[in-house]
Amino acid sequence: MNATRLPLAAGLALLVSACSLTPAMTPPALPIPAHYAQAEALDPTGAKTVDATWWRRFGSAELDQLMADALATNHDLAAAVARIEQSRANARAARAALLPTVSASGSASASLRDGDSGDEASGASLSAAYELDLWGRNAATAASAQARLDASRYSRDAVALVLQGDVASNFFQILALKDRLALTEENRAAAAELLRLVQLRFDNGAANALELAQQKTALLNIEATLPALRLSLEQSHHALAVLLARAPGGFTVATASLAGIVAPAIAVDAPASLLLQRPDIRASESQLIAANADIGVARAALLPSLSLSASAGLDGLITSGSSSLLSLAASLTQPIFNSGRLQSQVKLAEAQRQELVENYAQTVLLALKDVEDNLVAVGSNERRATLLTQSTEQARLAYQLARTRYDAGADDLLTLLDAQRTRLNAEDSLVQAGLARQTAAIGLFKALGGGY
C-alpha cells in the first residue's frame, strides 16, 4: 500500500474500531429467594451483620491473635496473593496491545584505507508500530485479562475466608478435646475410687468377684478412651500450627476450656441476593466474564487485521554529510485457510463460556444450600445443647443418688455402674454439643460471606 492510500486506510480503521464481536453478558437466571427460609428459627435479638472480624464475637483474645497470625503468615494465602500478581502482570501485558510500540536503534562504523583513517559512518532510527483494533480483539483480550485479575482477587478473599473458618474450627476443637480429656480424667479418678471401695468390700466379704470384675472393666474402658483423645488433641494442635505456618511440634493453645467461649447470637434479616457478593461467587462470575470476552477474541481472529508502522532514520558519513529517511506503511492481513482451526477456537470459547455459566449457577445454589444448612444447624445445636445441659444435670444427680444407695447397701453395683456410664456419656455429649454449636456459628459466618 503506498503513502497516498494510508489516510484512507487509517480513517476506515478508526471508523470500524468501535466494533466489538464480544457477545452481550447476560447472567443466568437464578432461583434466589427474597429471604432465607430458615432465618426465622434464629434468635431475633442476635446481631444481624457479619463483619470482616466475625471471629471476635466469640470473645477469645487468643483466637483473635491466632487469626491475625494466620492471615499474616499462612502459605496458601500467600500463594493466592502471588496469583494476583501473576494476573496483574497478564492484565498489564494485555492492555499494552492497545498502544503503539516504539523502538530505537543506532549504529556506528569506521573504515581504513592503506593504513590511513577512512570514512566514519553513523546511523540512528526510530520506529513505531500499531495494530488497529478493528474488531475489538485487543480490547476483548484486555477485558478478559482484567476479569481474571478480578477473579484472582476474589479467590484470595475466598481462601482467606476458608482459612479463618479453619483456624476457628481447629481452635474450638482443641478446647473441646481438652474438656473431654478433663472430664474423662475426672471420671477415671471416680471409677478408681469406686474400685478401691469395691475391692475393700470384696476383701471383707461384702462384695463378690463379679462386682469386682465389673468395676475393673468399667475403669479400664474409661482409661481406654484417653489415648484416642490425646491423639486427637495432638493432631488438632498440629493442624492449627500448619495454618499458622509454624512447625507442628511443640505448638500448644493456652486456653484451657471451651466453657469460656461466647456462643454468639446470630440473626439474619438481609435479603438472600446479598449472597452474590460472597467471594467464591464473585470469583466464579469474573471467570464467566473473562470467558465471555474470550469469545470476542476468537471471533475477531477470523477477520482481517490492519497494522500501521512508521520509521525515521538518520544515516551519514562524518566526512561527507548525512541524509534522513522517513517511511510510512500499512499492512492488511486476512486468514484464508487454516483447516477450521480458528472456527474451532470460536466453538471452544463458546463451549467454555457455557460450562462456566453452569458452574456459576451451581456455585450460587451451593452457597444458598450452605446458608440454609448452617441456619438449621445453628438452631438445632442451640436446642440440643440446652437439652443436654438438663440431661447432664440429671445424670450427675442420678449418679450421686446411686452412689449413696450403693454405699448404704440399698442398690447393687450394676445400678451404680449404669449411672456412672450415663453420667460420663452425658458429660461427653454436652461438650461435643457445645463444639457443634460453635462450629455451626462458624459455618454460618462463612456461608454468609464473612464480611466480604
Side-chain angles (χ1 to χ4, degrees):
M1 181 178 295
N2 59 41
T4 60
R5 295 186 180 180
L6 180 60
L8 177 60
L12 178 61
L14 292 174
L15 180 64
V16 299
S17 62
C19 295
S20 174
L21 300 177
T22 302
M25 182 63 188
T26 304
L30 300 171
I32 299 178
H35 296 280
Y36 300 110
Q38 300 295 331
E40 296 179 357
L42 300 184
D43 181 359
T45 64
K48 295 179 173 62
T49 58
V50 180
D51 58 31
T53 57
W54 52 265
W55 56 86
R56 295 184 181 277
R57 290 169 58 181
F58 292 99
S60 169
E62 185 174 18
L63 176 59
D64 295 345
Q65 185 59 54
L66 291 173
M67 200 69 74
D69 293 345
L71 292 173
T73 61
N74 180 263
H75 293 302
D76 287 335
L77 190 57
V81 172
R83 287 192 290 272
I84 293 177
E85 294 304 315
Q86 296 170 32
S87 297
R88 181 177 288 115
N90 286 332
R92 190 180 299 115
R95 289 194 299 269
L98 297 172
L99 301 173
T101 59
V102 180
S103 60
S105 63
S107 63
S109 63
S111 62
L112 297 178
R113 292 194 295 270
D114 300 329
D116 297 326
S117 61
D119 295 331
E120 295 183 4
S122 63
S125 65
L126 184 69
S127 61
Y130 178 56
E131 179 185 353
L132 294 174
D133 200 12
L134 295 178
W135 316 111
R137 182 182 64 178
N138 293 338
T141 301
S144 175
Q146 180 60 46
R148 287 189 167 86
L149 172 58
D150 294 338
S152 68
R153 288 170 175 155
Y154 292 128
S155 294
R156 182 267 173 204
D157 292 341
V159 170
L161 184 55
V162 171
L163 172 63
Q164 293 162 4
D166 288 347
V167 169
S169 296
N170 278 280
F171 178 71
F172 292 148
Q173 176 75 15
I174 288 170
L175 301 190
L177 285 167
K178 286 184 176 182
D179 285 340
R180 294 178 67 191
L181 269 169
L183 285 171
T184 304
E185 290 282 7
E186 180 184 330
N187 279 279
R188 185 191 66 81
E193 173 60 23
L194 182 57
L195 176 60
R196 187 192 65 79
L197 177 60
V198 174
Q199 181 70 57
L200 182 61
R201 290 167 63 94
F202 175 77
D203 293 341
N204 293 326
N208 56 44
L210 176 59
E211 291 177 329
L212 182 62
Q214 287 174 328
Q215 184 55 28
K216 286 182 178 180
T217 301
L219 176 59
L220 290 171
N221 285 336
I222 294 173
E223 290 178 337
T225 64
L226 291 171
L229 290 173
R230 293 190 182 109
L231 173 61
S232 295
L233 180 60
E234 288 300 316
Q235 289 176 336
S236 296
H237 272 110
H238 297 166
L240 182 54
V242 170
L243 293 175
L244 302 172
R246 301 181 189 177
F251 173 79
T252 58
V253 166
T255 305
S257 174
L258 194 63
I261 303 298
V262 176
I266 309 170
V268 179
D269 65 349
S273 58
L274 284 181
L275 191 65
L276 297 180
Q277 300 302 314
R278 217 171 80 161
D280 58 332
I281 295 178
R282 294 299 300 273
S284 180
E285 179 186 30
S286 295
Q287 291 287 0
L288 177 56
I289 293 172
N292 196 68
D294 288 341
I295 295 177
V297 176
R299 287 176 177 176
L302 297 170
L303 301 174
S305 61
L306 178 62
S307 297
L308 305 178
S309 62
S311 62
L314 179 65
D315 297 310
L317 298 175
I318 300 300
T319 58
S320 60
S322 61
S323 62
S324 61
L325 175 66
L326 175 65
S327 66
L328 301 173
S331 63
L332 185 67
T333 304
Q334 167 64 56
I336 297 177
F337 178 73
N338 51 68
S339 301
R341 179 176 59 85
L342 297 179
Q343 290 84 350
S344 296
Q345 289 296 323
V346 174
K347 292 185 179 298
L348 174 62
E350 291 173 342
Q352 288 173 335
R353 180 189 63 174
Q354 186 57 39
E355 177 188 5
L356 290 172
V357 167
E358 301 301 333
N359 287 344
Y360 175 72
Q362 183 70 359
T363 300
V364 173
L365 287 176
L366 289 175
L368 287 169
K369 174 183 178 296
D370 197 14
V371 174
E372 296 288 2
D373 285 350
N374 282 285
L375 285 170
V376 173
V378 167
S380 297
N381 283 299
E382 181 74 28
R383 291 188 293 273
R384 182 169 181 264
T386 299
L387 292 172
L388 282 173
T389 298
Q390 299 172 2
S391 173
T392 301
E393 291 172 354
Q394 294 301 313
R396 288 169 179 165
L397 176 61
Y399 175 76
Q400 292 171 359
L401 293 174
R403 176 64 186 267
T404 300
R405 290 176 63 82
Y406 177 76
D407 291 343
D411 274 335
D412 58 12
L413 181 63
L414 190 60
T415 301
L416 179 58
L417 290 175
D418 184 61
Q420 180 179 259
R421 281 191 300 269
T422 300
R423 186 189 73 167
L424 177 58
N425 290 336
E427 290 173 338
D428 192 66
S429 295
L430 180 59
V431 172
Q432 295 189 61
L435 174 61
R437 187 181 181 188
Q438 305 292 25
T439 301
I442 294 170
L444 183 56
F445 285 137
K446 285 174 56 183
L448 292 171
Y452 287 103

